[in-house]
Amino acid sequence: MTATPAWPPQSAPRLHVETQLGDGVAVPVDGNPAHYLISVMRVKPDDIILLFDGRSGEWAARVRDMRKRDLVLECVSQTKAPEEVPDFWLCCAPIKKGRIDLIAEKACELGVAKLQPVLTRRAVVDKLNLDRLHAHLVEAAEQCGRTALPELGAMVKLDALLREWPDDRWLFFADESGGEPLNEALRAHPGAAAFLIGPEGGFDPAEREAIRAVGKAVPVSLGPRILRAETAAIAATAAWMTLNGDWR
Ligand code: SAH
């Protein structure tokens, strides 16, 4: 008996595109993604590529017209419905380049709905390259099978974030100076949530007070050791996903 080949082929490259996907839709690809498919993955006409646009699930598409530097793919069937994304935002202060990139990559893999950069007083970095962060989110989503890209917020100042904090979302505040034990705090506050993580230098006392004054704020401890900001962001997200998100 001949084995039925897997559908979609397990080795199919996976790519995020801007074009809205649907049955029979032609998707032109050029620039870096085309280079990746043509020169790195060495795709051939009729090969299958998996595509997602962030809103229409995942589609298998066939390579149609292929030139040196660009190609056209044609959607042939939907391979995944749009994913359900747990209602979790990661709000974190900008930190040094490689470290904030790591947060973006891991946040996407762990399933966050939104990554929100927040400027705090002790941040050592006050500018963020949102295009670069977006590229890290895209790459992680391609790699980990997500069909939805996390939303990437423009950087906001801490006081503005707090002033406009929605009253239907918990704000778990990772306070290195102490808070409720994480496990109990998460179990006691199910539902839509965000985590707020400080920069390398932590929050200053006035910021700490302002955060704690928000009605939905829940100050939490991530244990007796001081974690680096990126570790705190990744660990807190994993803990939320375990107790209140979609790892249950
Ligand atoms: N330099 C600061 C630590 C900053 S750690 C100091 O020495 O106090 C960066 C951020 O990670 C903190 O602002 C906090 O949001 C989070 N964090 C790190 N360790 C933590 C812990 N044990 N409990 C709660 N939050 C923690």
Side-chain angles (χ1 to χ4, degrees):
M1 201 167 81
T2 46
T4 316
W7 177 260
Q10 274 165 1
S11 57
R14 203 167 179 277
L15 202 64
H16 174 261
V17 291
E18 297 293 338
T19 311
Q20 175 140 15
L21 303 172
D23 213 9
V25 169
V27 183
V29 180
D30 57 13
N32 283 338
H35 171 77
Y36 166 73
L37 292 180
I38 298 167
S39 307
V40 181
M41 300 307 290
R42 302 197 172 278
V43 300
K44 308 259 171 321
D46 281 341
D47 278 0
I48 292 292
I49 316 291
L50 297 174
L51 302 179
F52 66 104
D53 61 3
R55 36 191 200 279
S56 317
E58 181 191 81
W59 285 76
R62 228 174 251 296
V63 176
R64 290 296 184 217
D65 307 326
M66 202 170 128
R67 286 168 292 275
K68 236 183 166 155
R69 287 182 221 289
D70 63 303
L71 67 173
V72 177
L73 309 172
E74 186 191 324
C75 293
V76 290
S77 66
Q78 194 182 40
T79 44
K80 275 187 197 171
E83 71 179 275
E84 269 183 45
V85 183
D87 198 351
F88 180 81
W89 301 351
L90 179 59
C91 304
C92 55
I95 54 173
K96 286 182 190 148
K97 195 166 152 184
R99 297 179 182 274
I100 189 91
D101 293 346
L102 184 76
I103 291 183
E105 181 180 294
K106 300 310 167 201
C108 180
E109 290 175 42
L110 294 169
V112 308
K114 181 173 181 181
L115 179 61
Q116 176 60 63
V118 185
L119 192 57
T120 67
R121 291 201 193 102
R122 291 186 182 160
V124 285
V125 175
D126 62 1
K127 282 195 194 67
L128 267 189
N129 182 336
L130 289 179
D131 289 342
R132 202 190 66 233
L133 276 190
H134 177 77
H136 281 283
L137 293 175
V138 168
E139 205 176 302
E142 287 173 345
Q143 191 267 328
C144 74
R146 282 194 70 161
T147 60
L149 273 188
E151 188 187 334
L152 176 59
M155 186 136 73
V156 293
K157 288 193 172 159
L158 178 63
D159 51 2
L161 180 88
L162 300 180
R163 217 181 306 122
E164 279 154 34
W165 193 258
D167 55 16
D168 57 357
R169 182 176 298 277
W170 299 114
L171 176 59
F172 293 106
F173 163 38
D175 188 349
E176 67 271 22
S177 67
E180 292 177 45
L182 186 61
N183 183 333
E184 287 162 30
L186 291 178
R187 283 182 200 280
H189 302 92
F195 238 101
L196 177 60
I197 310 286
E200 290 92 338
F203 292 101
D204 78 12
E207 288 177 328
R208 206 167 269 133
E209 211 174 299
I211 301 164
R212 284 173 175 260
V214 173
K216 299 297 281 187
V218 183
V220 292
S221 163
L222 301 178
R225 291 162 293 277
I226 300 289
L227 308 175
R228 297 188 89 142
E230 68 277 21
T231 316
I234 295 165
T237 304
W240 188 88
M241 286 292 165
T242 306
L243 292 175
N244 293 354
D246 62 5
W247 295 10
R248 288 174 294 168

